[in-house]
Amino acid sequence: MAKAKRGNATSSSKMADNSDKQAEKFSLMLDSSDDEAPEEVTFEDSKTQALRSMKQALDTARREKELLKEKRRKRQELFQEQKKRKLLPADVLEEIDPTSSKKPRQSEDEAEEEQQKGDGEKELRKKKKKTRGKLAHSRILKGNYTVATLEERSMASFQQQAAEDFIQSRLYGPGSCRTTSNELLSLQNKKGWNKSAAVQFVKKDWACKEKAKAEKLKKRWIHKQHISSC
Amino acid sequence: MGEFKVHRVRFFDYMPSAIRAMAFNRQSERLAVARADGAVEIFNFSDNYFQEKVIPGQDSRAVEALCWVDQRLFSGGLNGEITEYDLENLKPRYTVAAYGGPIWTISSNNQGTMLALGCEDGTVKMFEVLAEKVQFQRNFDRQKGRIISLSWHPSGTLIAAGMMDMIRVFDAETGHATHRLLVERGVGASKSREVVVWSVAFLSDHTIISGDSAGKVQIWDGVTGTLLRTHLVTKWDVLALSVSQDQSSLVAGTSEGTVIQFQLISSTVGQQDKEWVRTRTFKNHSHDVRALAHTETAVVSGGMDTQLVVRPLLDKVEKNTQESSLRKIVFPHRSLVCCAKKAGLLLFQFPEHLELWRLGESEGHGKPGDSLTVKTKPEKLIQLKRKGEDHICCSALSPCGGWMAYSTVSSVRLYRLQYNNNNIGITKVSRLPKDLCSVHQLCFSSDSSKLFASSSHSSVIVVALNQQECTYLHTLKPKSSSRQPVHLLFASEDGKWLATANTDCEIHIYNLDKLKLHCTVPVYSSYPTAIAIHPLTSNLVVVHADQQIFEYSLEKKEYTEWSRKLQKLGLHSLWLERDTPVTHITFNSRNPAHIILHDMFMFCIIDQSLPLPEAKTLLYNQMTLRSVPEPERIRHSHAFKICKNFQHLLCVRLLEDHSLVVVERPLLDIMSQLPAPVRQKKFAT
């Protein structure tokens, strides 16, 4: 706790105060070797030494402060994690039973937040609020899991899906030797009496994805050519 | 012909669904077609292949097989249910679960008393066809592996079932398997894959014909269970088979998109013993042929490329007649586009959603043929997803653009649209009258104060609309006892008349001031495909599926002079030979003598003030007229002005500001979005 206090005290506004303390420390160190003859130290040297030590002290103070921040954050996260773990079943229950009112739980949450406001830092609180907001929508759990209720599907619809998959795999699955519509159209174009440009050029909105990709590759290629020629 | 500023609309991404199954009813000459989205369409082959009925699909209903029993239509789907359709109200009548997993095939015996189903779990299930329902009777011996295809022996005592790697023959009385015919797998890499018998046919001489995934059409002796002949027709799958009524001809559809005909003929002249010989190959599809029907005179095929192709067999029909020409049905024979004339809005109907677009505006004027620069781009205002499982069957947009309505088989939804500056507000009208639940067509009156909805037994429900609420006004009923649905509705511009046409070919005219039936137009034998009432003269113009045009005066209750003249002279042969129906009629407010109508390939302005074309005159004479000097033009010009500049039309409308809206959907666009075709090597490409 004492450390923390000191850490807190070292704010930029109390710089002068701090330097006093450092000076005191320095003088104490000098005092400890009083039985030996005092070495001759130039004023310049002593000044630099004093400054260095002061800087060091400041650095350590800052580091300590940061460490403390980190620790607090971790603690906070741990709390949240625990709370989430506790909350999850309630969430799922609520999803399943939409009649249960949402209001009381939300107000509860808010109350909890109010309580935590006291000891949390402002930055952290902001972050927490953000995560809570996200939580309400997509329910992100630890890791890459999300919770969502499935539409209840009957046996019949599963069977229907399986039957449709069967047809799909027999007609379009591996070994079915299928081509693309584009290929077919180009074949028709080649065999037809009046030949015209390929469909992807005639129809501007066709195969947008492929066109975008081609455009990108073309740009990259031009860029590469440019670099090599330079 | 007149000059128009044309909005050339190409942002309607209409995508028809693939054809999955079909069944032909020989008595009534109706073809039922099931699409991949679950919709079922009925085509009338005795009346120019007109698409007379459409039963919208449902999310979960994946129809895999169709079957007629007399005049009743049944389907089996991968959701494991049998559905019977109510063809009068255009919706499923009931569904029965078969409890055998997905149903792959459904087939009725010749007597029309039994339905046999092939299920995923390896059972053949027998259902008895009763007057009001189907009832489960029994299971046949359960087999290992799914039953993909079924065919009854015409006597009704035996059933052949196509499975994985084999064909089984069942005794329909005992339910036991009597034969097992092993089907050879494909060669090479596909040796390790099971072969699927996609289709079987059982002939009355106990010959079994099978088509399988190894690309073979095999002919078996059903008595001994031996293989007689193998025809390797493709490297891919043979997906469908169909046999003619007299069992002398057989067609097989393949993944390549070809349809191959086999005929039972003697291979050498003068010999008695006949055998199945491969005779003809038709290539009318770019993608897999999934469904086939062999009618008396033609082969009907459909598949992944969404087109229905009717290919007449030239030995059965007279050459060089209309009957002998190839028919391709690509677009539905009804309008999927609604246009708000006053507001310049377009409503596009998809099975899953509706799209509301505002038309763009152009800058300045140009010479005829120029394309103007677009000042403001067309803008998609609303994309409205439908609610529930059922697909949208009809939709309407009021002429002012303030109301929008759509209907599924189970419900109607009405929306109020509000535009302020760039914002658009949409509010659902919550309380609709109870009668408004199952409707087939919707239509707003021209002043947007009334909504007309066609309901069961050709009746029309009239609903009044105002800012606060919508209230039920009246139900208009025809005098005839027709039970057929109304497929066309038209409210006249002056708000006085409402015309309806039903699938019994009846056209009724109601007087909206008195809310009473005014008259019934004399029934013509062909379906009306488009009706409209002239805003000034109150003449009703009707175009039928056989391309005949009639004009009927509502005041005098008789055909007009022009109509009589047209009938006496007869329409031009080229006009009658067109193979797509006219789907919409509009009138030109600046020139009352003009009637604008369109089909898939052209739009036409009929000028009633000009002489009608003689049989020998050129019908498509716009280009030649242009080359003729001015004074001579009048001598050559005739009433039919046809424009083919815009291709594959879904809609042509005339806006209030006298500009023309043309909604195109080039077939190339549809084709480029189809699933993968097979890879074929073509010489020299």
Side-chain angles (χ1 to χ4, degrees), chain B residues 120-165:
Chain B
E120 173 80 15
D121 68 350
T123 54
V124 176
K125 289 175 188 287
M126 300 295 279
F127 277 76
E128 202 176 348
V129 183
L130 302 174
E132 285 300 310
K133 56 176 182 175
V134 288
Q135 195 172 42
F136 175 72
Q137 207 198 31
R138 66 204 183 96
N139 280 334
F140 283 4
D141 290 353
R142 186 167 170 166
Q143 305 298 316
K144 214 171 147 188
R146 53 180 74 85
I147 310 276
I148 296 283
S149 51
L150 279 177
S151 178
W152 286 81
H153 186 260
S155 68
T157 52
L158 293 168
I159 294 179
M163 299 172 63
M164 310 294 283
D165 275 340

Side-chain angles (χ1 to χ4, degrees), chain B residues 498-641:
Chain B
L498 178 74
T500 68
N502 67 11
T503 28
D504 265 343
C505 304
E506 297 170 343
I507 300 171
H508 300 287
I509 311 294
Y510 299 95
N511 187 328
L512 291 176
D513 296 336
K514 295 176 191 161
L515 288 173
K516 257 176 142 178
L517 184 72
H518 176 70
C519 64
T520 302
V521 179
V523 175
Y524 182 67
S525 59
S526 180
Y527 283 105
T529 62
I531 52 174
I533 298 168
H534 198 286
L536 298 176
T537 59
S538 291
N539 287 339
L540 174 79
V541 177
V542 187
V543 183
H544 294 272
D546 63 353
Q547 311 296 354
Q548 291 293 338
I549 305 167
F550 291 97
E551 194 185 31
Y552 187 81
S553 168
L554 298 186
E555 274 147 24
K556 293 180 189 160
K557 297 191 188 179
E558 60 176 25
Y559 287 118
T560 61
E561 200 59 38
W562 183 80
S563 181
R564 284 166 205 273
K565 213 166 72 188
L566 185 67
Q567 288 306 311
K568 206 185 267 174
L569 191 69
L571 280 154
H572 199 278
S573 60
L574 282 177
W575 176 268
L576 296 174
E577 276 166 22
R578 291 177 310 112
D579 60 356
T580 51
V582 168
T583 47
H584 197 266
I585 305 169
T586 42
F587 300 98
N588 187 348
S589 55
R590 289 198 193 164
N591 193 337
H594 282 181
I595 306 169
I596 304 170
L597 30 80
H598 81 93
D599 65 8
M600 184 177 146
F601 295 105
M602 58 105 206
F603 79 88
C604 171
I605 298 175
I606 298 177
D607 192 338
Q608 288 178 302
S609 61
L610 287 176
L612 293 165
E614 302 273 339
K616 279 182 211 153
T617 52
L618 216 59
L619 185 68
Y620 305 113
N621 65 351
Q622 296 302 303
M623 289 306 277
T624 46
L625 271 187
R626 208 172 285 171
S627 60
V628 168
E630 194 84 44
E632 265 187 63
R633 272 186 210 175
I634 302 158
R635 203 160 55 80
H636 286 280
S637 64
H638 57 74
F640 287 75
K641 319 277 188 194

